[in-house]
Amino acid sequence: MQSVGFLISTNFQMMSLAALSAFEFANYAADKCLYELAVVSESGGPVRSSVGIMLDSTAFGEPEFDTLIVCGTPDADPSASPLIDYVRRAPVLSRRVASICTGAFVLAEAGLLDGRRVTTHWLWTRDLQARFPRLKVDEDRIFITDGQIWTSAGMSAGVDLALGMVEEDHGAELARLVARQLVLYHRRGGGQSQHSNLLDLDAKSDRIQTALTYARRNLHTPLSVEQLAEVAHLSPRQFSRTFRQETGQSPAKAVENLRVEAARLMMEQTLHPIDIVARETGFADRERMRRAFLRAFGQPPQAIRRLAKPPLGADVSRTLA
């Protein structure tokens, strides 16, 4: 049995504790106690969350947990010295030390992130990098593992981080089953982007929005700049310039992102062969689609499909709705 401690402080965000459920349901799915869970704070007793709800906790002593996870707060203000001292000692006594959302600021204050690749919520990545220039902040990852240090993006990404720990400890099949019990579509890999390209591509003008709508509906066609410019009733040069100004991407990159999103959904929701998926979403061949998936998700299409399928022999009757 492995012990997991969630470290909270005043004004902590309740959703940070959603990651607790990944370990709870790992115990349920395995039908034995794989993880012993605890919530700790500097003084113990009730701790007020950012929404005013009080949560009971145990006062921390030595960082005696196999895994210590630091929860985030809405403001990422500097932490009290006793808490920082406690976190600073954790890597000596704990196998893993992790943060959820702005909990990364606590790890950084304790000096645990110097020289490491880390992430946090995209709203805070630039502030984290500015306050701690020795870090290598990646603003577009769900979670990152660098040695014994794990950091996650937003609070929902803390669940992905916890599922990654379950997979590391007990294998991919258990992690996938836990994801289903949590009614998650599948565990997102740490390399996946924090952003959805389909949601991000919103244009300000009707002309560019019309071209985007056309692109989404015709991904199986070549979708050249000339073709999209004609739909927008602009010259190719004017279209390219306006498109980049409004979306922050070139037309070619935007089309690739839209194709990747569409291909990902097909890989997850259908049994079509990869060649068919590549053709239907406008990639010339499966190799081009593979390279695009690696750029977008850090994983090839086959890995995305494996994560979306239930493990062979899994007892799906125990999956909670």
Side-chain angles (χ1 to χ4, degrees), residues 202-215:
D202 288 323
K204 298 176 183 178
S205 68
D206 289 341
R207 289 186 174 187
I208 301 301
Q209 190 59 57
T210 297
L212 279 172
T213 301
Y214 178 87

Side-chain angles (χ1 to χ4, degrees), residues 131-150:
R131 285 169 58 178
F132 303 98
R134 297 180 63 183
L135 279 55
K136 302 173 183 177
V137 181
D138 190 332
E139 65 181 24
D140 199 31
R141 288 294 174 262
I142 295 296
F143 68 87
I144 289 176
T145 305
D146 190 330
Q148 70 182 125
I149 306 297
W150 297 52

Side-chain angles (χ1 to χ4, degrees), residues 112-307:
L112 303 190
L113 303 185
D114 289 353
R116 295 185 185 272
R117 287 185 62 248
V118 302
T119 194
T120 188
H121 192 288
W122 62 268
L123 280 172
W124 291 95
T125 50
R126 293 185 180 180
D127 189 35
L128 181 64
Q129 186 68 80
R131 285 169 58 178
F132 303 98
R134 297 180 63 183
L135 279 55
K136 302 173 183 177
V137 181
D138 190 332
E139 65 181 24
D140 199 31
R141 288 294 174 262
I142 295 296
F143 68 87
I144 289 176
T145 305
D146 190 330
Q148 70 182 125
I149 306 297
W150 297 52
T151 53
S152 82
M155 290 172 287
S156 64
V159 179
D160 298 290
L161 177 143
L163 286 168
M165 291 179 174
V166 171
E167 179 173 330
E168 180 181 74
D169 295 340
H170 302 289
E173 290 191 1
L174 181 63
R176 285 196 292 267
L177 184 56
V178 171
R180 277 169 167 70
Q181 291 174 336
L182 292 173
V183 199
L184 299 176
Y185 197 71
H186 63 74
R187 182 181 74 79
R188 296 178 293 179
Q192 185 167 328
S193 170
Q194 292 190 36
H195 308 286
S196 168
N197 296 307
L198 287 173
L199 295 178
D200 285 349
L201 283 174
D202 288 323
K204 298 176 183 178
S205 68
D206 289 341
R207 289 186 174 187
I208 301 301
Q209 190 59 57
T210 297
L212 279 172
T213 301
Y214 178 87
R216 289 188 177 107
R217 294 174 177 173
N218 295 275
L219 291 176
H220 60 285
T221 67
L223 292 177
S224 65
V225 170
E226 291 75 16
Q227 184 180 356
L228 294 175
E230 183 178 351
V231 171
H233 302 291
L234 295 169
S235 70
R237 184 174 181 179
Q238 186 179 12
F239 173 76
S240 295
R241 182 174 64 252
T242 306
F243 191 96
R244 184 180 288 276
Q245 289 173 346
E246 294 192 17
T247 69
Q249 300 181 25
S250 69
K253 185 61 177 177
V255 167
E256 178 181 286
N257 287 337
L258 291 172
R259 284 179 168 144
V260 163
E261 292 280 1
R264 177 181 62 83
L265 289 175
M266 288 188 69
M267 293 296 296
E268 292 173 344
Q269 299 177 5
T270 76
L271 296 177
H272 293 318
I274 293 178
D275 290 332
I276 299 297
V277 174
R279 185 174 71 242
E280 290 296 316
T281 53
F283 290 104
D285 53 56
R286 60 187 296 163
E287 178 57 26
R288 289 191 182 182
M289 187 173 80
R290 187 188 72 84
R291 292 198 299 267
F293 265 63
L294 290 174
R295 285 191 292 269
F297 306 123
Q299 301 179 86
Q302 296 91 330
I304 298 294
R305 171 161 282 173
R306 284 196 299 270
L307 287 171

